Structure formats: structure tokens, C-alpha cells
Amino acid sequence: MAVRDVVVWPDERLRQKTVPVTSFDDKVRALYNDLRDTMYAENGLGIAAIQIGDPTQMFLVDPKLAGRTESDPPVAFINPEVVWTSDETQKSDEGCLSFPEIYIQVERPMRARIRAKDLDGREFEIEGEGLMARCLLHEFDHLTGKLLVDFVGPLKRQMIKKKLARRGRDEEEAAG
Ligand SMILES: [Zn+2]
């Protein structure tokens, strides 16, 4: 168990090809634990394994958002697929742990249904609406290498790059 460093864009590791889980073993459980600890440390509603530099097809979602109680552990989605999305859409600002302090307006389906496996390899389906649908589709995008900056034009993308580079330098200075 450990809090891991979150990979910040434009780090190329966020674009690496992801790989499905084939054996549901202790390694997968250990990755889950690191993702959980990192998600809580960063106050995220969700996190994908690729965001800590691991290409495994897994993401976690905040338990309350996923319809459980606050004291439940985050819900793991392994080898997920999007099986359905609504035609109705929603527009809202979206954040991402790999884009600290950046918010981008993204239009997404209002509802989405995801099929995935849990930590024991059991298949399940979950349908989300509003913020939950947004979170599911955002995390799923990470597994296909798609990122928030892919929703903006080249000018805005340059602005974000500068802002994140400046932030990285400030953090380095603060760390001495
Ligand atoms: Zn993200």
C-alpha cells in the first residue's frame, strides 16, 4: 500500500497502450490498494491505473458516487467496456488528477452503462447518470489514451501546457 505520484500531462505515459487483466491475483489487489490510497490522498472522485504509470485496464470510482456508502471501499472497474450511452447529453466543467487545477467544459452523454470485472474477476454492470456517467466515461477515456486536452483546440492546449509547466517548476523550487 502506498500513495504513488500522479503522472501529469504532457507525460507520454498517459498515452501508452493499456493491457487487460488476465489473472485476478495479488498483483491486481496491490495495484488496487495503491490506486485507492492515491485517489484519497489527491481527493479525486476517480483514478485510472495509467495515471500512476501502470498500463493495466483498471480504474476506481468514489464509492458514494457509485451508489454505495461513504465507508465502502472505492469501486474497481477492471477490463471495462462501455455498453450503452444515452443520446441526451450534459455539459459541465471537468477536472482530472493529471491536469491539476485545470477545468475544461466537456459535453458527454447524460447516462452511461459500463460492463467490467471486479477484483475477483466477477462481471458486473453499472449504469450512471449525471456526474457518475461523466466520471465513468472520463475514467474509461484514460484506458484508450484519451485526455481532457483532446476536447480543446490547439491554442487552449498550449495555454494549459504552459500553466502545468509553470506549476511543475514552482513545485520543484518549493521542494528545494
Ligand atoms: Zn482523469
Side-chain angles (χ1 to χ4, degrees), residues 51 95-98 138-139 142:
Q51 292 182 276
C96 176
L97 297 179
S98 296
H138 176 105
E139 298 310 332
H142 274 300

Side-chain angles (χ1 to χ4, degrees), residues 154-164 166:
L155 276 177
K156 182 109 196 251
R157 185 186 272 244
Q158 273 313 312
M159 225 177 68
I160 292 168
K161 198 176 251 180
K162 275 188 197 145
K163 205 169 161 188
L164 290 176
R166 205 180 312 128

Side-chain angles (χ1 to χ4, degrees), residues 102-140:
I102 304 282
Y103 296 91
I104 290 167
Q105 194 182 70
V106 181
E107 183 170 11
R108 293 201 185 266
M110 181 60 91
R111 285 180 296 280
R113 175 166 276 270
I114 301 270
R115 182 185 299 143
K117 291 199 157 104
D118 68 13
L119 286 167
D120 299 312
R122 281 184 304 240
E123 195 174 278
F124 68 97
E125 275 191 28
I126 205 165
E127 194 175 312
E129 188 178 347
L131 183 59
M132 175 59 175
R134 177 173 294 282
C135 184
L136 286 171
L137 294 170
H138 176 105
E139 298 310 332
F140 181 81

Side-chain angles (χ1 to χ4, degrees), residues 162-176:
K162 275 188 197 145
K163 205 169 161 188
L164 290 176
R166 205 180 312 128
R167 190 185 164 276
R169 278 197 302 274
D170 290 349
E171 275 199 349
E172 250 167 55
E173 275 166 26

